[in-house]
Amino acid sequence: LASLAGIRDIHPLAFDIARGNLELLYGLEKHLCALTGFDRFSLQPAAGAQAEFTALLMFKAYFQDIGQTNRKVVLIPDVAHGTNPASVNLAGWEAKEIKTIDGRLDVDDLRRNLSNNVACIMVTNPNTLGIFERDIVKINSLVHQAGAFSYLDGANFNALVGRYKPRLQGFDIAHLNLHKTFSTPHGGGGPGAGALGVVEAVMPYLPVPTIERKNDGNFYFDFNREKTVGKLSAFWGNFLILARAYAYILSLGNKAHLVSEIAVANTYYLKGWLCPPYEVPFGEGFLHEFVISCEKIKQETGVRAFDIAKRLMDFGFHPPTMYFP
């Protein structure tokens, strides 16, 4: 679909007359809302990290509007993606680490760190260890009681797509990596798309333009949003990635849950092959991924995880994610 001439060759400045493409973006937003439970989506962020930063700008604008400029602390679990604290620093706020126990967020440590200075918590669910935060409803409830927001890093949504609506678990904003969960190959320096879903309370701060529908059925870009945090990037986001995601979602129809079923099945298939000799040091009940340890192999043979990664490359395989490469 992304290689069709009318989609591939459209000039960005011609979008205001390319109503079919506007309808495509409008339809993608509606489908993402249906899959997540959120009220609106911005399709502008070029990837998850930019979406995180945008969400923090929206939170900051909200707290400025209600006179709570003291809220500058963002709580982040110690298993979070590195983009989370980076986005916090870029927004001019302070990142504060929350401990985990056996791979899951420590609710007691969260309680100790909640205060009227906290703006939000950033949670990846399932987290980077592949483990679902089973206390997520309680976690989000505690955060809301403290007057703060809850942000979902949706980088791992492929583990739950079609089965789980993060809005119903209490999240206020979430990004989805369309280039990971919705068909586009991830990595290799290619373009991304970090669609950002929001609840009604922060909708006024959405980036411009949003895509709206007139009474006569035509679509248009709306730049006239008084409280917007502004425009994120040139033109309208990575359009071909958005077109692919839309086609992928339509092709799934009412079987979106197969995405998560297959992701989890693949995890346990690989785990069955790799363990033993490798060990899983964290938690249980994995979803889309798991973390293995080479510690036992190192103790018995002296061979390190680094050596295994390098040796895989000797045979033409890209090694799993670690401190190298």
Side-chain angles (χ1 to χ4, degrees), residues 272-292:
W273 275 104
L274 293 172
C275 304
Y278 300 99
E279 295 181 306
V280 177
F282 303 108
E284 58 185 14
F286 305 98
L287 293 177
H288 68 299
E289 64 183 331
F290 59 97
V291 173
I292 60 173

mmCIF file of all heavy atoms in Angstrom, residues 272-292:
data_model
loop_
_atom_site.group_PDB
_atom_site.id
_atom_site.type_symbol
_atom_site.label_atom_id
_atom_site.label_comp_id
_atom_site.label_asym_id
_atom_site.label_seq_id
_atom_site.Cartn_x
_atom_site.Cartn_y
_atom_site.Cartn_z
ATOM 1 N N GLY A 272 12.256 -22.121 25.372
ATOM 2 C CA GLY A 272 12.422 -23.563 25.439
ATOM 3 C C GLY A 272 13.722 -24.040 24.817
ATOM 4 O O GLY A 272 14.333 -25.008 25.282
ATOM 5 N N TRP A 273 14.183 -23.363 23.774
ATOM 6 C CA TRP A 273 15.444 -23.725 23.129
ATOM 7 C C TRP A 273 16.660 -23.244 23.921
ATOM 8 O O TRP A 273 17.709 -23.906 23.934
ATOM 9 C CB TRP A 273 15.504 -23.123 21.721
ATOM 10 C CG TRP A 273 14.836 -23.947 20.669
ATOM 11 C CD1 TRP A 273 13.619 -23.718 20.085
ATOM 12 C CD2 TRP A 273 15.326 -25.147 20.073
ATOM 13 N NE1 TRP A 273 13.319 -24.683 19.170
ATOM 14 C CE2 TRP A 273 14.355 -25.589 19.134
ATOM 15 C CE3 TRP A 273 16.485 -25.900 20.238
ATOM 16 C CZ2 TRP A 273 14.517 -26.734 18.360
ATOM 17 C CZ3 TRP A 273 16.648 -27.048 19.464
ATOM 18 C CH2 TRP A 273 15.674 -27.452 18.543
ATOM 19 N N LEU A 274 16.543 -22.087 24.551
ATOM 20 C CA LEU A 274 17.718 -21.437 25.138
ATOM 21 C C LEU A 274 17.944 -21.748 26.616
ATOM 22 O O LEU A 274 19.050 -21.546 27.126
ATOM 23 C CB LEU A 274 17.597 -19.914 24.969
ATOM 24 C CG LEU A 274 17.675 -19.397 23.534
ATOM 25 C CD1 LEU A 274 17.340 -17.914 23.477
ATOM 26 C CD2 LEU A 274 19.049 -19.652 22.947
ATOM 27 N N CYS A 275 16.919 -22.187 27.306
ATOM 28 C CA CYS A 275 17.037 -22.392 28.754
ATOM 29 C C CYS A 275 16.726 -23.840 29.113
ATOM 30 O O CYS A 275 15.542 -24.232 29.067
ATOM 31 C CB CYS A 275 16.069 -21.463 29.493
ATOM 32 S SG CYS A 275 16.309 -19.737 29.093
ATOM 33 N N PRO A 276 17.696 -24.651 29.566
ATOM 34 C CA PRO A 276 19.138 -24.345 29.618
ATOM 35 C C PRO A 276 19.780 -24.381 28.228
ATOM 36 O O PRO A 276 19.105 -24.783 27.283
ATOM 37 C CB PRO A 276 19.660 -25.483 30.523
ATOM 38 C CG PRO A 276 18.718 -26.635 30.268
ATOM 39 C CD PRO A 276 17.375 -26.008 30.014
ATOM 40 N N PRO A 277 21.070 -23.974 28.118
ATOM 41 C CA PRO A 277 22.038 -23.690 29.176
ATOM 42 C C PRO A 277 21.923 -22.313 29.817
ATOM 43 O O PRO A 277 22.492 -22.082 30.879
ATOM 44 C CB PRO A 277 23.384 -23.824 28.457
ATOM 45 C CG PRO A 277 23.084 -23.367 27.064
ATOM 46 C CD PRO A 277 21.697 -23.890 26.774
ATOM 47 N N TYR A 278 21.218 -21.393 29.164
ATOM 48 C CA TYR A 278 21.095 -20.063 29.760
ATOM 49 C C TYR A 278 20.051 -20.083 30.868
ATOM 50 O O TYR A 278 19.208 -20.976 30.936
ATOM 51 C CB TYR A 278 20.704 -19.037 28.691
ATOM 52 C CG TYR A 278 21.710 -18.940 27.574
ATOM 53 C CD1 TYR A 278 21.491 -19.612 26.367
ATOM 54 C CD2 TYR A 278 22.874 -18.195 27.710
ATOM 55 C CE1 TYR A 278 22.413 -19.542 25.326
ATOM 56 C CE2 TYR A 278 23.795 -18.115 26.682
ATOM 57 C CZ TYR A 278 23.558 -18.798 25.503
ATOM 58 O OH TYR A 278 24.479 -18.725 24.487
ATOM 59 N N GLU A 279 20.107 -19.058 31.724
ATOM 60 C CA GLU A 279 19.162 -18.942 32.823
ATOM 61 C C GLU A 279 18.388 -17.640 32.709
ATOM 62 O O GLU A 279 18.886 -16.655 32.147
ATOM 63 C CB GLU A 279 19.902 -18.971 34.166
ATOM 64 C CG GLU A 279 20.590 -20.291 34.466
ATOM 65 C CD GLU A 279 21.280 -20.271 35.809
ATOM 66 O OE1 GLU A 279 22.090 -19.352 36.038
ATOM 67 O OE2 GLU A 279 21.016 -21.166 36.626
ATOM 68 N N VAL A 280 17.172 -17.648 33.247
ATOM 69 C CA VAL A 280 16.352 -16.438 33.310
ATOM 70 C C VAL A 280 16.425 -15.905 34.745
ATOM 71 O O VAL A 280 15.890 -16.532 35.660
ATOM 72 C CB VAL A 280 14.885 -16.727 32.918
ATOM 73 C CG1 VAL A 280 14.047 -15.457 33.066
ATOM 74 C CG2 VAL A 280 14.816 -17.245 31.496
ATOM 75 N N PRO A 281 17.093 -14.755 34.953
ATOM 76 C CA PRO A 281 17.315 -14.290 36.323
ATOM 77 C C PRO A 281 16.172 -13.495 36.931
ATOM 78 O O PRO A 281 16.142 -13.280 38.139
ATOM 79 C CB PRO A 281 18.558 -13.404 36.179
ATOM 80 C CG PRO A 281 18.458 -12.862 34.794
ATOM 81 C CD PRO A 281 17.802 -13.936 33.963
ATOM 82 N N PHE A 282 15.234 -13.030 36.101
ATOM 83 C CA PHE A 282 14.200 -12.126 36.602
ATOM 84 C C PHE A 282 12.815 -12.678 36.359
ATOM 85 O O PHE A 282 12.433 -12.956 35.226
ATOM 86 C CB PHE A 282 14.296 -10.751 35.922
ATOM 87 C CG PHE A 282 15.638 -10.098 36.076
ATOM 88 C CD1 PHE A 282 16.488 -10.013 34.994
ATOM 89 C CD2 PHE A 282 16.051 -9.586 37.303
ATOM 90 C CE1 PHE A 282 17.729 -9.417 35.115
ATOM 91 C CE2 PHE A 282 17.286 -8.992 37.435
ATOM 92 C CZ PHE A 282 18.134 -8.903 36.354
ATOM 93 N N GLY A 283 12.036 -12.826 37.413
ATOM 94 C CA GLY A 283 10.601 -12.998 37.316
ATOM 95 C C GLY A 283 10.133 -14.262 36.623
ATOM 96 O O GLY A 283 10.880 -15.204 36.374
ATOM 97 N N GLU A 284 8.848 -14.247 36.307
ATOM 98 C CA GLU A 284 8.190 -15.359 35.640
ATOM 99 C C GLU A 284 6.969 -14.812 34.900
ATOM 100 O O GLU A 284 6.559 -13.681 35.101
ATOM 101 C CB GLU A 284 7.759 -16.416 36.660
ATOM 102 C CG GLU A 284 6.820 -15.877 37.720
ATOM 103 C CD GLU A 284 6.493 -16.903 38.797
ATOM 104 O OE1 GLU A 284 7.175 -17.933 38.875
ATOM 105 O OE2 GLU A 284 5.550 -16.640 39.553
ATOM 106 N N GLY A 285 6.360 -15.635 34.048
ATOM 107 C CA GLY A 285 5.174 -15.198 33.328
ATOM 108 C C GLY A 285 5.489 -14.179 32.259
ATOM 109 O O GLY A 285 4.970 -13.067 32.259
ATOM 110 N N PHE A 286 6.362 -14.538 31.323
ATOM 111 C CA PHE A 286 6.831 -13.588 30.320
ATOM 112 C C PHE A 286 5.826 -13.443 29.182
ATOM 113 O O PHE A 286 5.045 -14.348 28.898
ATOM 114 C CB PHE A 286 8.190 -14.046 29.777
ATOM 115 C CG PHE A 286 9.199 -14.248 30.862
ATOM 116 C CD1 PHE A 286 9.456 -15.509 31.359
ATOM 117 C CD2 PHE A 286 9.869 -13.175 31.410
ATOM 118 C CE1 PHE A 286 10.363 -15.705 32.377
ATOM 119 C CE2 PHE A 286 10.774 -13.352 32.438
ATOM 120 C CZ PHE A 286 11.023 -14.618 32.922
ATOM 121 N N LEU A 287 5.892 -12.303 28.518
ATOM 122 C CA LEU A 287 5.010 -12.062 27.386
ATOM 123 C C LEU A 287 5.821 -12.014 26.097
ATOM 124 O O LEU A 287 6.188 -13.031 25.561
ATOM 125 C CB LEU A 287 4.198 -10.790 27.613
ATOM 126 C CG LEU A 287 3.187 -10.889 28.776
ATOM 127 C CD1 LEU A 287 2.474 -9.577 28.987
ATOM 128 C CD2 LEU A 287 2.189 -12.010 28.533
ATOM 129 N N HIS A 288 6.155 -10.823 25.629
ATOM 130 C CA HIS A 288 6.746 -10.696 24.294
ATOM 131 C C HIS A 288 8.251 -10.921 24.264
ATOM 132 O O HIS A 288 8.841 -11.034 23.185
ATOM 133 C CB HIS A 288 6.448 -9.305 23.753
ATOM 134 C CG HIS A 288 7.175 -8.244 24.530
ATOM 135 N ND1 HIS A 288 6.965 -8.051 25.877
ATOM 136 C CD2 HIS A 288 8.129 -7.364 24.165
ATOM 137 C CE1 HIS A 288 7.752 -7.083 26.302
ATOM 138 N NE2 HIS A 288 8.468 -6.651 25.289
ATOM 139 N N GLU A 289 8.903 -10.928 25.413
ATOM 140 C CA GLU A 289 10.355 -11.089 25.446
ATOM 141 C C GLU A 289 10.765 -11.579 26.829
ATOM 142 O O GLU A 289 9.969 -11.583 27.770
ATOM 143 C CB GLU A 289 11.073 -9.771 25.118
ATOM 144 C CG GLU A 289 10.843 -8.659 26.129
ATOM 145 C CD GLU A 289 11.519 -7.358 25.735
ATOM 146 O OE1 GLU A 289 12.557 -7.408 25.051
ATOM 147 O OE2 GLU A 289 11.013 -6.296 26.107
ATOM 148 N N PHE A 290 12.022 -11.998 26.942
ATOM 149 C CA PHE A 290 12.566 -12.389 28.243
ATOM 150 C C PHE A 290 14.053 -12.069 28.246
ATOM 151 O O PHE A 290 14.672 -11.896 27.195
ATOM 152 C CB PHE A 290 12.316 -13.871 28.537
ATOM 153 C CG PHE A 290 12.920 -14.813 27.530
ATOM 154 C CD1 PHE A 290 14.143 -15.421 27.758
ATOM 155 C CD2 PHE A 290 12.253 -15.097 26.340
ATOM 156 C CE1 PHE A 290 14.698 -16.290 26.831
ATOM 157 C CE2 PHE A 290 12.801 -15.966 25.406
ATOM 158 C CZ PHE A 290 14.027 -16.565 25.650
ATOM 159 N N VAL A 291 14.612 -11.983 29.435
ATOM 160 C CA VAL A 291 16.029 -11.667 29.596
ATOM 161 C C VAL A 291 16.747 -12.911 30.098
ATOM 162 O O VAL A 291 16.288 -13.568 31.034
ATOM 163 C CB VAL A 291 16.227 -10.509 30.591
ATOM 164 C CG1 VAL A 291 17.703 -10.283 30.887
ATOM 165 C CG2 VAL A 291 15.601 -9.230 30.041
ATOM 166 N N ILE A 292 17.852 -13.255 29.459
ATOM 167 C CA ILE A 292 18.641 -14.398 29.909
ATOM 168 C C ILE A 292 19.965 -13.933 30.500
ATOM 169 O O ILE A 292 20.431 -12.831 30.213
ATOM 170 C CB ILE A 292 18.905 -15.407 28.768
ATOM 171 C CG1 ILE A 292 19.666 -14.740 27.618
ATOM 172 C CG2 ILE A 292 17.617 -16.024 28.290
ATOM 173 C CD1 ILE A 292 20.101 -15.712 26.535
#
